[in-house]
Amino acid sequence: MEELIEKAIVVAVNLQHDEHFEYGLEELHNLAEALNVEVVGEVTQNLNRVTSSHYVGTGKVEEIKNFYEEAGANLIIFNDELSPSQIRNLERDLDCKVIDRTMLILDIFARRAKSNEAQMQVELAQLQYMLPRLVGLRASLGRQGGGTGGGFKNRGAGETKLELDRRKIEDQIAKLKRELEHVKYQRETQRKQRKKNAIPVVSLVGYTNAGKSTIMNQFLNKVGQVESKQVFEKDMLFATLETSVRQIKLSDQKEFLLTDTVGFVSKLPHHLVKAFRSTLEEARDANLLLHVVDVSNDEHRYMMDVTNETLLAVGVEDVPTVFVYNKSDLAEMKYPHVAGKNIWISAKEGAGLDELLEIIKKHIFSDYLQCSMLVPFDRGDIVSYLNEYASVKSTSYEEEGTLVKVELKKADYDRFQEFIFVQ
């Protein structure tokens, strides 16, 4: 049996001459492509507000229907989240499968989610989206099978089935919420442990496909981390959904954790933002954010705004931020180049990473102190701790013990206060 190729018409309403309308539409094409859906045409309409019954004006529905039949499509994708009644009316009048931008993004997330946590988060968002739309989606699922559903005689049985489905979905939502609460608790525990160990955390944030995973992999290469620690990177939307945490240990024994979070996109469904909240909260506890921007994209300012809005929505605020303008080679801009809290790099070429590392070090190791310590010979455990977790500049052996000249974090300086040696 040959595989059914999805061919879609995309429909979008330009509200009050939105300056980012064209870009939003281009993004919708890319989202469809990410699911191997071929876009065979588009219909747009300028409106002051969307029509509450059909999203587009009712006259436009006829035009879409004719275009759909001419183009040989089998799917219509709308560029906004549709209400339950809009889906129901559109499916009835267009007599075909209708999906909205939210469903499209949820489907991409469902296919890309690898870890157990990400799969639960996506499933929760999908179920919360489906619950109020059961009636409309029922018709759509019936259509996928080729039929248009039974006539009115099945109505009573269908409604009972609907009630059962609703209960099943509500039970599953409650179960997923409990399980995710448990995962969140484990995450909190890990974060507390990291705080206790006082290892600084640097979080990569930004729009999807800005190059966050490439930067992480380049850093791992730089410090000679093994291949197995590399994260998946590909030139596509939402290549990574998992939060990857990697330890970066520098030659002077200083270390920090680098975390890579899920990328953002405009009109990211709110159910999804809520479901991924615990993952995104990684960024809230960071000591430094690296906001990665694809500077070669004409809409990069808008992408930065979307990223900032999404971060605020999950409570990430007041974290020191460095703006990393990536893909400067494609934008034909001067790189590597540093100006205050901004840096222009090309992660793919590995250009500008040394400079970026210097900026990171300045931010997160600013509380490091240099001192001399005289450690009694019977406290060899302290000397070995300093050798492993601090930057020992020199060691000499005196009559009273080991004299070390060391650069270390403030927490360790306070801890070993009694051994500080003043000449």
Side-chain angles (χ1 to χ4, degrees):
M1 204 175 104
E2 65 175 295
E3 195 186 345
L4 176 73
I5 294 173
E6 301 239 61
K7 292 188 170 188
I9 301 283
V10 296
V11 179
V13 166
N14 186 354
L15 284 177
Q16 298 162 351
H17 306 292
D18 174 14
E19 58 179 310
H20 304 295
F21 176 71
E22 286 303 325
Y23 176 68
L25 201 50
E26 182 194 323
E27 205 167 68
L28 188 69
H29 279 257
N30 292 338
L31 290 166
E33 200 180 296
L35 279 176
N36 301 322
V37 173
E38 185 190 337
V39 176
V40 290
E42 61 180 49
V43 177
T44 61
Q45 185 175 24
N46 295 327
L47 291 175
N48 282 330
R49 58 195 177 89
V50 298
T51 314
S52 58
S53 65
H54 288 74
Y55 175 70
V56 289
T58 41
K60 207 73 172 166
V61 175
E62 201 53 42
E63 185 189 321
I64 295 169
K65 192 176 164 94
N66 294 336
F67 189 24
Y68 169 84
E69 284 160 6
E70 268 169 46
N74 50 17
L75 173 67
I76 299 181
I77 303 172
F78 286 78
N79 192 28
D80 283 290
E81 185 167 306
L82 299 173
S83 71
S85 60
Q86 284 170 338
I87 289 184
R88 210 160 44 240
N89 296 337
L90 286 164
E91 297 220 312
R92 183 194 63 219
D93 296 347
L94 292 167
D95 195 23
C96 72
K97 187 175 156 197
V98 164
I99 69 170
D100 60 16
R101 188 184 178 102
T102 298
M103 271 172 107
L104 197 60
I105 293 175
L106 287 172
D107 206 357
I108 294 172
F109 269 62
R111 291 193 198 186
R112 299 264 200 275
K114 297 280 183 291
S115 74
N116 194 22
E117 182 186 9
Q119 285 166 350
M120 287 195 293
Q121 287 168 324
V122 176
E123 191 188 344
L124 177 64
Q126 282 178 317
L127 292 173
Q128 286 173 323
Y129 170 83
M130 269 170 69
L131 196 58
R133 294 172 174 78
L134 275 179
V135 180
L137 293 171
R138 165 67 32 75
S140 175
L141 296 172
R143 269 194 198 92
Q144 281 171 288
T148 49
F152 287 107
K153 62 179 184 294
N154 289 341
R155 188 173 175 148
E159 283 185 351
T160 320
K161 175 93 172 71
L162 213 58
E163 208 36 63
L164 283 172
D165 283 357
R166 191 177 298 274
R167 237 174 316 184
K168 256 196 206 146
I169 289 179
E170 281 168 349
D171 289 349
Q172 182 63 1
I173 285 176
K175 180 171 167 274
L176 284 167
K177 279 185 169 169
R178 280 196 305 274
E179 287 175 6
L180 282 167
E181 210 40 58
H182 179 64
V183 176
K184 186 182 173 182
Y185 174 72
Q186 289 175 316
R187 223 181 239 292
E188 290 289 328
T189 313
Q190 286 168 347
R191 277 207 286 262
K192 279 194 187 112
Q193 191 54 43
R194 293 209 291 258
K195 272 199 165 135
K196 212 165 95 186
N197 296 343
I199 300 181
V201 177
V202 177
S203 250
L204 291 157
V205 295
Y207 219 72
T208 180
N209 211 17
K212 298 184 294 298
S213 300
T214 309
I215 290 175
M216 181 177 249
N217 286 341
Q218 290 283 25
F219 272 139
L220 291 170
N221 279 337
K222 216 169 222 346
V223 296
Q225 300 265 42
V226 285
E227 278 293 304
S228 64
K229 293 273 191 243
Q230 300 267 309
V231 294
F232 180 66
E233 56 174 272
K234 196 172 176 196
D235 183 13
M236 67 179 184
L237 300 180
F238 305 119
T240 18
L241 291 190
E242 280 48 67
T243 295
S244 314
V245 181
R246 296 290 184 270
Q247 198 156 350
I248 307 285
K249 194 157 190 170
L250 306 171
S251 53
D252 59 3
Q253 305 306 324
K254 287 183 185 143
E255 58 186 351
F256 63 92
L257 292 176
L258 186 61
T259 71
D260 178 14
T261 54
V262 58
F264 303 137
V265 67
S266 65
K267 301 182 189 173
L268 200 57
H270 67 280
H271 288 314
L272 204 55
V273 173
K274 260 166 64 185
F276 271 81
R277 194 183 177 106
S278 67
T279 311
L280 296 168
E281 277 173 354
E282 286 287 341
R284 201 175 64 185
D285 288 335
N287 301 76
L288 179 67
L289 293 185
L290 299 182
H291 183 156
V292 184
V293 180
D294 171 1
V295 73
S296 70
N297 193 307
D298 294 342
E299 290 278 351
H300 69 270
R301 289 273 159 218
Y302 171 58
M303 292 172 168
M304 290 168 79
D305 292 342
V306 170
T307 301
N308 290 330
E309 281 161 24
T310 314
L311 286 169
L312 274 177
V314 291
V316 180
E317 44 192 328
D318 303 326
V319 181
T321 303
V322 169
F323 294 94
V324 182
Y325 296 101
N326 188 26
K327 307 191 188 182
S328 300
D329 50 325
L330 302 177
E332 294 179 357
M333 298 182 93
K334 180 183 165 196
Y335 70 99
H337 172 62
V338 180
K341 283 183 166 183
N342 305 303
I343 177 167
W344 284 260
I345 70 165
S346 165
K348 206 139 202 70
E349 292 178 3
L353 289 167
D354 289 333
E355 290 81 350
L356 180 55
L357 199 51
E358 282 313 308
I359 293 175
I360 293 172
K361 278 157 66 170
K362 252 192 214 118
H363 271 276
I364 61 176
F365 300 128
S366 56
D367 70 336
Y368 268 59
L369 301 164
Q370 286 208 16
C371 66
S372 295
M373 285 191 182
L374 186 58
V375 184
F377 290 126
D378 63 350
R379 294 303 311 269
D381 56 316
I382 293 173
V383 177
S384 59
Y385 175 89
L386 293 173
N387 276 313
E388 193 172 346
Y389 296 107
S391 176
V392 174
K393 309 289 184 197
S394 68
T395 307
S396 59
Y397 300 98
E398 309 296 321
E399 274 174 44
E400 302 86 57
T402 312
L403 184 65
V404 283
K405 239 182 138 169
V406 64
E407 184 185 18
L408 76 180
K409 53 192 170 206
K410 172 95 170 61
D412 285 342
Y413 179 87
D414 294 342
R415 195 165 135 208
F416 302 128
Q417 191 79 39
E418 59 183 292
F419 304 113
I420 290 171
F421 178 72
V422 185
Q423 281 162 317

